[in-house]
Amino acid sequence: MAQKTTGKEESRAADTKQMDNIVSLCKRRGFIFPSSEIYGGLASAWDYGPLGVELKNRIEAFWWKEMTRLRDDIVGIDAAIMMHPRVWEASGHVENFTDPLVDCKECKQRFRADQMPEENQKSGRCPNCGGELTAPRQFNLMFKTHLGPVEDDASQVYLRPETAQGIYVNFKNVVQTSRVKIPFGIAQVGKAFRNEIVTKNFIFRTCEFEQMEMQFFVHPSEDVKWFEYWKEQRMAYYAKLGIRPDRLRFKQHGPDELAHYAKDAFDIEFEFPFGWRELEGIHNRTNYDLSRHSEFSGKDLTYLDEVSRERYLPYIIETSAGLTRSVLMVLSDAYDEETVEAEGDVRTVLHLHPALAPVTVGVFPLVKKDGLAELAQEIERGLRDDFTTFYDQGGAIGRRYRRQDEIGTPYCITIDYQTKEDNTVTLRFRDSMEQVRIGVPELISRIRQEIRDYKRV
Ligand code: ATP
């Protein structure tokens, strides 16, 4: 007799299956490939393919626009990945950026002691094979390398483990060269590197990843107010990005979880197929970073309020989101397998926000002959200046729609015999699968309006 499964087990199996399906879609359609795949891949490293790079760039552009262009009080920078090694002493990373590591003496697997199931932490036996574990030792997550031709301690540098420090060390430069006045922020997007002990769940946790960080400088008496403000703003941002609100929540760090620099911290968590996990951290870093950099560099990093003549070290409210992790969030939230009753089958669809979709408009001639292909190509070229388009003339029209649904293309246009008579086309919507007839001259303004007014149903 077949064993009964509990509801929990079934939903866990479904979640694992969903994750497998997302990974397979990413590979199949050119979103994300294993790095150096022809050599067997490299653990935890992934490459973004033609569609993946479009998606990632659009998430970044969306964040950049929200955080800089649409505001008066945030400017951007792009700092170098390799910085003076003293930066990481001042920041506390050399001393504190460690995870407790244990090895299994039998199977040689490596674990983070604090992330192992409690029973294994207590018994000191491996969760994988039951073998004996070593005692935990602190393992620094920063990658080291050497700058210049000589490999000595003086030339040792680190690959930055966070982008934030590039902002702090440029605080004075930005104040002196831009018209910023406190309260104001500095935003940055870029690569960060951590020698993570355990990497798993596809692109969720990797050794090389990208962050979108914003450091907001405030008067010390206003830190709590701005902390609350940024919590609210950042949650509202995800709604604007089209993420379903019931998939997001706040989690406050308890006193024993707070980083060495933080007075208060909240994570924004997303419900990934493998459970609730951190997506972004919002931290009140106090004046820790600027005071440490003042101390270690010997430079005065205080701010002078020109009205009150008060001189002080500002407090910093940080919003730190993962860009590559956001790609996985967006894909997980968008992915769906829907039964199409009219056609009696299942379609795979990515309900991406149209502003994020790698292709915005698919353009198809109903058939290749009778001049329809040429007409469709002409219409497609007329849209290129405004949207990312994809022209496809191969196979049944239903199949062409499905291929676009699978990569999240929100709008498809079909050119048919009627187009030749009255210059109208069919505009088909990905989510509802509804079709409307529309004149070619109205296409651009209609699609623009659809993108602006998009609401996920
Ligand atoms: P965790 O506890 O998951 O290791 P963290 O609390 O150390 O993460 P932060 O230092 O606050 O993370 O980094 C800010 C953001 O950068 C995270 O919310 C996450 O989105 C992203 N991030 C951090 N580490 C990684 C990683 N190894 N791979 C992908 N994204 C990461």
Side-chain angles (χ1 to χ4, degrees):
M1 207 174 96
Q3 267 212 314
K4 270 200 184 148
T5 52
T6 64
K8 233 184 185 167
E9 280 165 1
E10 272 169 18
S11 81
R12 210 174 299 137
D15 294 345
T16 311
K17 183 158 185 298
Q18 190 191 349
M19 196 59 210
D20 289 346
N21 291 346
I22 292 171
V23 175
S24 128
L25 171 72
C26 283
K27 174 82 204 295
R28 190 170 70 245
R29 297 305 306 273
F31 280 91
I32 299 166
F33 309 121
S35 162
S36 341
E37 198 183 5
I38 58 169
Y39 289 98
L42 177 71
S44 126
W46 301 89
D47 296 342
Y48 288 76
L51 296 182
V53 70
E54 290 285 346
L55 177 60
K56 180 158 73 66
N57 285 350
R58 278 155 203 258
I59 296 173
E60 178 183 341
F62 194 96
W63 183 90
W64 192 259
K65 181 174 168 193
E66 286 293 313
M67 299 301 269
T68 66
R69 241 174 71 195
L70 298 182
R71 303 183 62 100
D72 307 318
D73 55 357
I74 302 182
V75 293
I77 65 159
D78 185 17
I81 287 173
M82 286 186 282
M83 305 176 71
H84 195 288
R86 291 275 282 163
V87 167
W88 306 107
E89 288 170 34
S91 69
H93 282 80
V94 170
E95 197 183 335
N96 295 313
F97 199 56
T98 55
D99 278 340
L101 171 118
V102 292
D103 290 301
C104 172
K105 292 180 182 168
E106 303 296 322
C107 73
K108 310 290 179 210
Q109 276 228 30
R110 211 157 239 204
F111 304 93
R112 254 176 77 168
D114 56 332
Q115 286 187 349
M116 268 192 317
E118 220 165 280
E119 66 256 31
N120 301 97
Q121 288 188 35
K122 278 199 194 117
S123 66
R125 305 234 144 237
C126 172
N128 183 42
C129 74
E132 197 190 332
L133 297 171
T134 61
R137 62 195 162 87
Q138 291 303 321
F139 173 75
N140 196 298
L141 301 183
M142 284 196 293
F143 282 102
K144 285 184 202 145
T145 187
H146 291 270
L147 196 62
V150 185
E151 281 207 15
D152 61 9
D153 276 354
S155 69
Q156 185 178 289
V157 291
Y158 300 97
L159 299 186
R160 66 180 177 201
E162 61 176 29
T163 57
Q165 300 301 326
I167 295 181
Y168 306 143
V169 299
N170 276 298
F171 169 68
K172 204 97 208 176
N173 282 337
V174 173
V175 169
Q176 283 168 352
T177 56
S178 328
R179 288 249 172 105
V180 289
K181 300 250 177 310
I182 280 181
F184 78 92
I186 304 178
Q188 177 172 219
V189 181
K191 292 234 173 185
F193 302 83
R194 297 180 187 180
N195 201 357
E196 299 278 4
I197 296 168
V198 184
T199 54
K200 58 177 181 188
N201 293 327
F202 194 30
I203 55 169
F204 176 79
R205 185 184 299 286
T206 47
C207 291
E208 175 180 346
F209 57 99
E210 284 175 76
Q211 291 186 313
M212 305 182 287
E213 294 198 311
M214 193 282 299
Q215 312 293 325
F216 204 73
F217 300 85
V218 304
H219 189 276
S221 66
E222 296 202 316
D223 64 333
V224 174
K225 178 181 104 182
W226 284 108
F227 187 71
E228 287 309 313
Y229 170 86
W230 278 111
K231 268 173 62 189
E232 206 180 285
Q233 287 288 308
R234 295 303 302 149
M235 198 53 118
Y237 156 91
Y238 288 107
K240 219 170 155 186
L241 198 66
I243 305 301
R244 284 170 289 181
D246 59 336
R247 297 275 188 99
L248 293 161
R249 71 179 186 194
F250 281 118
K251 184 170 160 263
Q252 186 168 19
H253 287 204
D256 51 337
E257 291 168 289
L258 281 179
H260 59 277
Y261 51 76
K263 173 173 157 187
D264 197 0
F266 274 77
D267 290 341
I268 295 182
E269 293 190 332
F270 174 76
E271 191 176 18
F272 287 94
F274 41 88
W276 288 94
R277 296 283 191 289
E278 174 181 340
L279 180 67
E280 166 160 354
I282 300 159
H283 308 123
N284 179 347
R285 297 182 72 126
T286 69
N287 64 11
Y288 177 83
D289 303 278
L290 290 182
S291 70
R292 293 275 292 189
H293 285 305
S294 276
E295 185 188 329
F296 279 66
S297 68
K299 299 284 183 313
D300 176 12
L301 298 180
T302 53
Y303 173 84
L304 175 68
D305 184 319
E306 280 164 10
V307 178
S308 68
R309 307 307 296 168
E310 186 189 356
R311 189 175 270 289
Y312 59 90
L313 265 187
Y315 268 38
I316 292 171
I317 309 300
E318 166 185 70
T319 71
S320 174
L323 170 55
T324 41
R325 201 173 277 186
S326 289
V327 172
L328 184 58
M329 166 194 67
V330 164
L331 286 169
S332 314
D333 193 47
Y335 184 90
D336 209 356
E337 288 167 23
E338 292 174 356
T339 307
V340 185
E341 273 164 23
E343 293 164 35
D345 70 350
V346 173
R347 72 164 180 156
T348 301
V349 53
L350 291 183
H351 293 286
L352 294 173
H353 189 293
L356 303 184
V359 175
T360 317
V361 191
V363 182
F364 318 140
L366 185 64
V367 289
K368 278 180 261 183
K369 55 183 188 181
D370 302 328
L372 290 190
E374 291 74 13
L375 186 54
Q377 278 162 358
E378 192 188 314
I379 292 173
E380 189 256 335
R381 277 195 294 271
L383 298 172
R384 280 188 191 179
D385 212 26
D386 296 82
F387 311 108
T388 310
T389 56
F390 183 79
Y391 174 79
D392 185 5
Q393 61 177 28
I397 196 81
R399 255 185 65 78
R400 281 181 265 168
Y401 284 142
R402 290 299 163 79
R403 282 182 58 76
Q404 294 305 311
D405 287 345
E406 202 181 44
I407 62 166
T409 306
Y411 314 109
C412 287
I413 293 167
T414 300
I415 284 82
D416 56 19
Y417 287 103
Q418 197 184 325
T419 313
K420 283 171 63 169
E421 283 160 29
D422 63 4
N423 204 25
T424 64
V425 295
T426 307
L427 175 63
R428 182 229 191 219
F429 300 95
R430 174 199 68 204
D431 291 356
S432 63
M433 292 191 285
E434 275 167 20
Q435 304 188 6
V436 294
R437 197 90 206 166
I438 171 171
V440 171
E442 287 100 67
L443 272 174
I444 292 176
S445 60
R446 174 69 185 267
I447 294 170
R448 279 189 185 287
Q449 184 198 337
E450 291 288 340
I451 297 173
R452 254 198 321 268
D453 298 347
Y454 178 78
K455 286 262 166 334
R456 178 153 176 193
V457 281

